[in-house]
Amino acid sequence: MTKPTNDQAQASPTKRFFVSMLTRDINLADAILDLLDNCLDGALRLADGDNVDYAQHFVKIELAADHFSIEDNCGGIPREVAKNYAFKMGREPDDDRDSDTETIGMYGVGMKRAIFKMGREALVRTRYGNDTFEVPITSAWLEAKGWDPLPINEPTEANEKLAEPGTVIRVDELYEGVSRHFANEAFENEVRTAIAEHFTMFLQWGLKVELNGKPVEPVLVEVLVSDRADGPAPFVFQKTIDDVLVSITVGLNTGRTLGNDDEDDSGFERDRSSATAGWTVLCNDRAVIVGDKSRLTGWGDGIPLYHPQFAIITGIIEFRSKRADKLPVTTTKRALDTSSNVWLESLVKMKEGMRVWISYTNQWKNHPRADQSDYWEDAKPLSLGKTIAAVALRSDIKKSDSQIEFNPQKAKVLPEPPGKTPSSRKIVFSRPIEEIRLVSKMLYDTDDEKPGIVGEKCFELTLARAKKQDG
């Protein structure tokens, strides 16, 4: 047996290593989203178990070449939390804050990682109730070897106090690459799109987010549901798996494929893929990914690879739990942990729903959209939650104590195309727009009829002439 000594081997990480590794695996846009996510967590804590009125809250973000700032009115940071938790580099095992809150933060690194990603000087000013204080993070502290506590200071001037409970974070001395990104309009647009997608549910509930003074509008991810009890409806599945409530719907999105297209009438097979086609994955109301069309969400794995024919198909899946560590999401909150059991079990039902609508598009792809549009004229675009609530009222939905399921194919509520001969084929060709307008004027006394309709009429006239000559 080895004899113990009084010597000790240092095992704590250096600050430089920790900060460098912490920021390397998250991109700049995701770091900004992490800070916005913290604002929403503050609003949840402020509600203290009640429903959050997001319309009462705002988040204002500024990106500039010389600074970054984010301001909210979401309740602020209690002084005791600031002293013991908020500025620690990671969460202790006995830290049970948010254990009863549906958030997706797990490790307590989001705010610090985002600040370290951007620059070398930062100031966090917060007001909780009537208590206002600020915590500076300086380049001198970052360069120091030890993990000295950060000071908690009182505001030096009266005008530095916040008008209402909330938090302001400002980062200065931006790194050169960060400064160039923040001054780039393309990056601003990237962040705006990311916010519109990732926080779409909160924006729909009234949360006001401004980016460089302009409001961010939500990206709507919805499927069509008929008002009629026997009308067409999406595939729906809901079940609790490993303490996570999994909700799934797959159906038609609100794209231009049901007869409201201003361009050619080429049916389903158009290379005009909807931004929300494919799969959107939500974790506790945050959209982890939007419109995924890859093998990640099952395309090409036992079902066909994504194709423009499927641009009308939208799938939405949500994972909801008060245990953030149970959710199939990584620490960046914008990528999936596809090795988790809850994801793998859910993927089986996702594919089942996809097969229903792939079959539907296969049936209809050689038929004019007008043939099916009558079936959908009373359908409304609904979010995941509203879709499940509407479909749950139908008599032919399968319900048990542990799950609900509705398969529109088995329920025979999907429209079927009119009979066609086995030898029917689709005709697709292109002609100069000037020639199409000329023929449209001759046939319909207007030069802006849809090219598909013009082409179909030309074929009908030629076919009638051929039949006459043949007879």
Side-chain angles (χ1 to χ4, degrees):
M1 184 173 178
T2 304
K3 183 180 178 180
T5 71
N6 292 326
D7 294 335
Q8 294 179 325
Q10 295 296 322
S12 58
T14 65
K15 188 184 295 182
R16 182 179 215 171
F17 169 81
F18 186 85
V19 170
S20 175
M21 293 302 295
L22 189 68
T23 59
R24 190 172 295 272
D25 292 334
I26 189 170
N27 68 40
L28 193 54
D30 287 348
I32 295 169
L33 266 59
D34 226 348
L35 292 175
L36 204 164
D37 199 70
N38 286 346
C39 302
L40 299 177
D41 290 346
L44 278 170
R45 298 184 194 107
L46 187 64
D48 195 23
D50 295 330
N51 291 329
V52 182
D53 183 2
Y54 287 102
Q56 301 300 313
H57 296 291
F58 68 79
V59 181
K60 299 177 181 179
I61 301 171
E62 287 185 9
L63 308 179
D66 63 345
H67 77 278
F68 166 88
S69 70
I70 182 169
E71 175 184 357
D72 71 66
N73 67 339
C74 297
I77 305 171
R79 189 177 289 254
E80 285 303 307
V81 171
K83 289 168 64 175
N84 298 308
Y85 302 104
F87 292 89
K88 271 188 175 180
M89 305 305 157
R91 181 169 288 185
E92 298 285 359
D94 61 349
D95 180 3
D96 61 354
R97 288 177 307 127
D98 302 332
S99 61
D100 200 40
T101 303
E102 290 182 344
T103 181
I104 58 175
M106 289 178 276
Y107 301 109
V109 298
M111 177 178 68
K112 286 79 69 174
R113 178 167 60 180
I115 290 172
F116 298 155
K117 182 78 177 179
M118 295 179 194
R120 297 170 53 80
E121 293 278 343
L123 183 68
V124 180
R125 179 178 293 122
T126 189
R127 171 182 166 184
Y128 179 77
N130 291 318
D131 182 24
T132 303
F133 58 91
E134 57 189 37
V135 178
I137 301 176
T138 65
S139 56
W141 182 87
L142 280 172
E143 291 168 2
K145 291 183 178 180
W147 292 91
D148 294 332
L150 292 165
I152 296 179
N153 302 330
E154 305 302 316
T156 54
E157 298 181 16
N159 62 4
E160 292 178 341
K161 293 190 175 182
L162 303 179
E164 55 185 318
T167 301
V168 178
I169 300 173
R170 181 180 172 108
V171 184
D172 294 294
E173 287 194 27
L174 302 178
Y175 297 115
E176 183 180 356
V178 173
S179 175
R180 291 173 64 180
H181 272 89
F182 285 177
N184 188 328
E185 185 179 354
F187 179 75
E188 178 183 332
N189 292 335
E190 176 188 338
V191 173
R192 183 178 299 276
T193 299
I195 294 171
E197 292 180 347
H198 189 68
F199 298 105
T200 176
M201 300 309 302
F202 301 93
L203 294 168
Q204 291 178 57
W205 294 331
L207 177 71
K208 294 175 282 293
V209 178
E210 289 185 4
L211 178 59
N212 284 354
K214 296 179 182 179
V216 178
E217 301 295 334
V219 171
L220 300 180
V221 185
E222 300 169 319
V223 291
L224 293 173
V225 185
S226 173
D227 283 339
R228 292 179 286 113
D230 61 346
F235 175 92
V236 163
F237 177 80
Q238 190 174 67
K239 181 182 179 180
T240 298
I241 304 171
D242 295 345
D243 298 323
V244 178
L245 179 63
V246 179
S247 303
I248 300 173
T249 187
V250 192
L252 295 190
N253 58 44
T254 55
R256 297 178 293 176
T257 52
L258 294 176
N260 57 341
D261 210 354
D262 291 331
E263 299 179 16
D264 61 87
D265 186 8
S266 54
F268 288 107
E269 295 183 316
R270 297 170 302 123
D271 190 15
R272 242 190 257 130
S273 179
S274 167
T276 59
W279 278 98
T280 291
V281 181
L282 302 164
C283 287
N284 284 350
D285 297 318
R286 285 83 165 169
V288 180
I289 54 176
V290 174
D292 184 81
K293 305 168 180 67
S294 71
R295 289 182 180 273
L296 176 71
T297 51
W299 294 100
D301 183 10
I303 61 173
L305 288 166
Y306 181 82
H307 183 274
Q309 173 186 322
F310 308 138
I312 62 167
I313 301 175
T314 286
I316 312 170
I317 180 169
E318 181 182 52
F319 300 92
R320 182 176 291 281
S321 178
K322 292 180 179 178
R323 290 280 307 276
D325 60 322
K326 295 274 190 177
L327 301 172
V329 63
T330 67
T331 63
T332 67
K333 305 177 185 178
R334 296 259 289 164
L336 292 172
D337 176 11
T338 55
S339 65
S340 71
N341 179 64
V342 66
W343 172 259
L344 293 173
E345 192 168 331
S346 301
L347 191 58
V348 175
K349 284 297 178 181
M350 292 166 64
K351 291 179 183 177
E352 185 178 330
M354 293 164 76
R355 290 188 186 100
V356 170
W357 292 99
I358 289 171
S359 174
Y360 179 84
T361 62
N362 284 335
Q363 286 182 301
W364 281 96
K365 65 181 179 180
N366 290 320
H367 291 263
R369 285 171 289 158
D371 287 354
Q372 59 164 319
S373 59
D374 289 345
Y375 295 100
W376 293 92
E377 62 183 2
D378 66 339
K380 295 179 180 178
L382 299 179
S383 62
L384 172 63
K386 291 180 178 179
T387 293
I388 292 177
V391 175
L393 298 175
R394 298 197 174 206
S395 59
D396 45 4
I397 190 170
K398 293 182 179 179
K399 290 185 180 181
S400 68
D401 293 338
S402 60
Q403 70 181 59
I404 63 172
E405 184 170 0
F406 179 80
N407 187 319
Q409 199 173 49
K410 293 180 180 178
K412 299 187 184 303
V413 297
L414 297 182
E416 295 184 356
K420 63 179 181 179
T421 62
S423 58
S424 63
R425 293 291 184 271
K426 185 174 183 178
I427 299 174
V428 179
F429 61 92
S430 299
R431 300 294 298 175
I433 188 63
E434 293 80 6
E435 294 181 5
I436 297 173
R437 287 173 176 165
L438 186 64
V439 177
S440 173
K441 181 69 174 177
M442 181 190 75
L443 294 176
Y444 297 102
D445 200 29
T446 176
D447 65 359
D448 60 355
E449 188 54 80
K450 294 179 181 179
I453 293 176
V454 174
E456 187 173 5
K457 187 65 174 178
C458 289
F459 183 84
E460 289 174 356
L461 293 172
T462 305
L463 178 62
R465 183 178 174 184
K467 287 181 176 179
K468 185 176 181 181
Q469 288 180 350
D470 189 54

